[in-house]
Every structure is written in structure tokens, then in C-alpha cells.
Amino acid sequence: VLKLYHGGYSHANRYYIGDIQDLDNTKGADFVSSYPFCALAYKFPCYKFVPLGKDVKPEFILKNCEERAFIFRVSFINIRLKDELYPMPALQASKCQHSINMETDNGRVLKAGYVSIYLCDPDLEVLAKQYTWDDASTCTEVEVSSKEYLPRWFTDYVYELFEAKCKIKPFKKTDPVSYALAKSRLNSLYGLCVQSSF
């Protein structure tokens, strides 16, 4: 499972490196409580993963990932960006187990003759939007689990902690410590969610 963990997706636009604009007019955007939203809105693997027993094409996983969760090792042949001007490629070179003729930008793969990497189905969905690959590409070590919405007792608790966090006013600086603790409790449910799947 640790081989699957890729961390957060943070990367700069590769066409604006070194281009410093007027910082006073720079704006940023952030999701409000993205982890809790995902826990409430999406299906997750709720049973033990079991071996699929055969190698499959990436397209098979993409076709079946709405109701099934997959973890697997995929070997891409001749993977490349669908659009060479895409500013923030998702495939991380550091997570690839093996590669041949890989071209990267700031640690992200632009194209390669061959790469192998451990993924789960949401990772593959992101890559399929950005990249194309040859038909010879295949997934091995495939394990599968059924997806369901998380149980009501859990989602009720997520909402309870979200409500508690929102009642504290962080921007008025009334109690920044209490806000930080409430936010940590809410975001740590991500770990509980993962643990409950195994």
C-alpha cells in the first residue's frame, strides 16, 4: 500500500518559471475542507482488497472504476502528454519503479519510452485525462475491492467535526489554537477512513 501513496498534487506552471509578477495583485484559491467533502460525496473501497488473478489493460480499470476500487502496478509503453503545452503534468518521475528514455520537467514526466509505477484507480483517471500510451501497456499485481459510500455513523461524525470547525472564527483571530485543533481533528479523519478500508 505504501508504494501507492503519492502525496498531494502541487506543481507550478512550467511555462511561468522565473516570471515574477506584481505580488500585491497575486491571488490564491483553496478548497474549503476538501477531505471531508470527499468523504461525504464519493464512494470508497469498503472491503478487503483481493487479487484479481489476471493482468488487465488500463482501459479495463478505467471502465470499471465507478463501482470497483483497484490497486495495481502499471507498465506504460510510449507514454506521452496528449498536449505538449499542458502546464502541470501529473505523473511523478520519483514514484516510477523503472523507466526508459524519460523526459521530465521539475520531476514530472513529459514522455517516456517505458515507465512502471504503482497506482490506484483515481490516479489512473487523472493520468488518462493528460496522457496517452500504446496499446501494449498493461496492469499487473491487480487487486480489487467493491466501492460503497462510507457508513452513516462515519459521515455523521465527519459533518459534526466540520460544523465544530466552522463555528470557530479563524479570520477574527479569536482563538487560533482551538481552530487549528478543530481543523486537525477534521482532516485526520482521512487516516481513519483509510484504516477502516482494510
Side-chain angles (χ1 to χ4, degrees), residues 72-175:
F72 52 93
R73 178 178 176 174
V74 61
S75 297
F76 290 117
I77 308 296
N78 193 25
I79 187 169
R80 64 267 184 205
L81 286 170
K82 291 178 179 178
D83 181 355
E84 291 185 3
L85 297 179
Y86 192 81
M88 296 183 292
L91 183 57
Q92 298 179 74
S94 64
K95 296 297 181 178
C96 293
Q97 303 290 306
H98 304 284
S99 66
I100 298 173
N101 296 331
M102 179 188 288
E103 291 185 22
T104 64
D105 174 76
N106 196 25
R108 302 290 174 158
V109 177
L110 304 178
K111 63 180 178 179
Y114 170 87
V115 296
S116 66
I117 188 171
Y118 286 92
L119 298 176
C120 56
D121 51 285
D123 295 327
L124 184 61
E125 288 183 291
V126 171
L127 295 185
K129 290 176 183 176
Q130 297 183 7
Y131 294 85
T132 187
W133 48 79
D134 287 0
D135 187 54
S137 301
T138 188
C139 300
T140 59
E141 302 176 44
V142 183
E143 296 186 23
V144 63
S145 171
S146 294
K147 283 183 181 177
E148 292 183 6
Y149 290 108
L150 295 173
R152 185 61 184 264
W153 64 265
F154 184 82
T155 57
D156 284 350
Y157 187 54
V158 171
Y159 193 80
E160 179 185 323
L161 292 184
F162 174 73
E163 192 174 32
K165 184 199 85 164
C166 291
K167 287 180 179 176
I168 302 170
K169 307 295 183 187
F171 302 112
K172 293 182 180 178
K173 306 292 184 189
T174 55
D175 193 351

Side-chain angles (χ1 to χ4, degrees), residues 29-44:
D30 191 12
F31 294 105
V32 175
S33 297
S34 185
Y35 283 154
F37 168 76
C38 290
L40 296 172
Y42 295 108
K43 293 182 177 181
F44 290 86

